[in-house]
Amino acid sequence: DRIKLYLADLNSDQLKGELAVDITRKVNPIHNEHYPVERATTRSMVETLWRNLRLDPWSRILEHSLVNHDKVLYLPLKIQAKEIGVLVIDNILSQTSIPAPIRNQLQSFAGQLALAVDNARLFSEVERLSLYDTLSLLPNRRYFKQRFQEELYRSQRSKAPFALCILDIDFFKEINDTYGHQIGDRAIACIGAAVNQVIRQSDFAARWGGDEVVILLGLTAAGEVSMVADRILKAIRDISIEYPADPPKNIKITASMGIAVYPEDGSDLESLMATADKALYHTKFTGRNGYTLASQVPDAISPQ
């Protein structure tokens, strides 16, 4: 009558509902169902789920036991003896027994399903690692280029502008030379977290390389850029990294930013990057710790 799939959450000790399929073959999400997994005990995920699902009004009709019940079947999903979820099959609605041959087929299916879920998760993790920078936890250059083309296509269709920002850490070489590369790496990680926290849902930030971060400000005209840029730079100024000296020293960070707006400052990634880079150089040339719009850069200024 019904099959329900529960999977162990990779980031928390919880067993979470994924989906249910009923006798009409309708598929329904059951993401509202989640149960804590007690790792400190020997209790399996199957037992954890059984203890909770017995409170379900449908299940209480039977007051079913964990094992040897002919109308309810709990099947662990295992990979090399490690539980990754549970499949629950029941005939509570029809009150008919699940025949032994069907039970055997379902047990075989549970093994195949466990392998499929594990492969899907492995693929997702490999894909994530190929698209994200492991230090800043921001998307990498490859992912940014892909997203830029999508934004460019959307903008060409809707005639809506967007902005491209290049940001890098002020005096980053001096931070590395003075405090060591561990502090430099920490600075990049903190920048990634700060930028991700304050950009809007329509924006997209990525690590371009070294201490450079590029940010797409989607659906943003030149007049709106300043507000977003100020928020990003303030979040970076609020970063404080403790250096383990005697006494400990708190290292503050600032950043400089150059901003180009599509289409007036460039028509593709290469031209917008070049224009934004020129604006970034102007920010550094005039004192750092701020931003410059490409439209504000004198013609005589060019990167060295």
Side-chain angles (χ1 to χ4, degrees), residues 182-253:
Q182 280 190 327
I183 296 297
D185 287 351
R186 180 65 182 149
I188 291 172
C190 288
I191 290 280
V195 170
N196 249 345
Q197 188 172 10
V198 299
I199 58 176
R200 305 162 304 172
Q201 192 171 4
S202 59
D203 302 333
F204 187 82
R207 185 182 180 192
W208 190 253
D211 63 318
E212 280 192 336
V213 172
V214 287
I215 308 167
L216 273 180
L217 303 181
L219 302 171
T220 306
E224 303 171 291
V225 167
S226 297
M227 180 173 59
V228 181
D230 281 331
R231 188 163 64 242
I232 292 170
L233 292 174
K234 180 185 182 303
I236 293 171
R237 293 186 197 106
D238 289 341
I239 294 172
S240 182
I241 302 174
E242 184 177 294
Y243 178 66
D246 188 15
K249 180 177 182 179
N250 288 324
I251 302 167
K252 304 296 290 183
I253 298 173

Side-chain angles (χ1 to χ4, degrees), residues 80-296:
Q80 295 180 347
K82 179 183 178 182
E83 287 184 298
I84 65 169
V86 181
L87 198 64
V88 182
I89 297 100
D90 73 67
N91 275 349
I92 293 176
L93 183 63
S94 63
Q95 290 288 287
T96 59
S97 298
I98 303 173
I102 299 297
R103 287 171 170 262
N104 293 335
Q105 290 178 13
L106 288 170
Q107 287 174 345
S108 176
F109 170 70
Q112 296 172 29
L113 179 60
L115 185 60
V117 168
D118 191 58
N119 285 340
R121 285 180 164 180
L122 180 60
F123 177 82
S124 296
E125 180 64 12
V126 170
E127 185 177 45
R128 185 189 69 80
L129 291 173
S130 72
L131 294 176
Y132 283 81
D133 171 60
T134 56
L135 180 57
S136 66
L137 302 184
L138 292 172
N140 58 23
R141 183 185 297 205
R142 172 189 168 194
Y143 196 178
F144 181 84
K145 288 182 176 180
Q146 175 185 321
R147 185 62 177 267
F148 177 87
Q149 292 303 321
E150 294 169 359
E151 185 67 24
L152 181 63
Y153 177 71
R154 181 205 58 76
S155 183
Q156 289 170 342
R157 285 176 58 89
S158 64
K159 307 299 181 185
F162 66 89
L164 185 148
C165 312
I166 302 179
L167 174 155
D168 73 7
I169 302 172
D170 293 331
F171 304 109
F172 184 67
K173 184 179 184 302
E174 285 80 353
I175 291 174
N176 272 330
D177 291 345
T178 304
Y179 303 107
H181 289 278
Q182 280 190 327
I183 296 297
D185 287 351
R186 180 65 182 149
I188 291 172
C190 288
I191 290 280
V195 170
N196 249 345
Q197 188 172 10
V198 299
I199 58 176
R200 305 162 304 172
Q201 192 171 4
S202 59
D203 302 333
F204 187 82
R207 185 182 180 192
W208 190 253
D211 63 318
E212 280 192 336
V213 172
V214 287
I215 308 167
L216 273 180
L217 303 181
L219 302 171
T220 306
E224 303 171 291
V225 167
S226 297
M227 180 173 59
V228 181
D230 281 331
R231 188 163 64 242
I232 292 170
L233 292 174
K234 180 185 182 303
I236 293 171
R237 293 186 197 106
D238 289 341
I239 294 172
S240 182
I241 302 174
E242 184 177 294
Y243 178 66
D246 188 15
K249 180 177 182 179
N250 288 324
I251 302 167
K252 304 296 290 183
I253 298 173
T254 62
S256 298
M257 188 187 295
I259 305 169
V261 178
Y262 175 86
E264 52 260 44
D265 297 326
S267 59
D268 54 22
L269 178 58
E270 184 178 356
S271 59
L272 284 168
M273 287 290 293
T275 309
D277 193 54
K278 184 177 179 180
L280 171 63
Y281 174 78
H282 183 261
T283 304
K284 291 185 173 292
F285 184 76
T286 55
R288 296 179 168 85
N289 190 20
Y291 66 89
T292 303
L293 294 171
S295 59
Q296 300 171 333

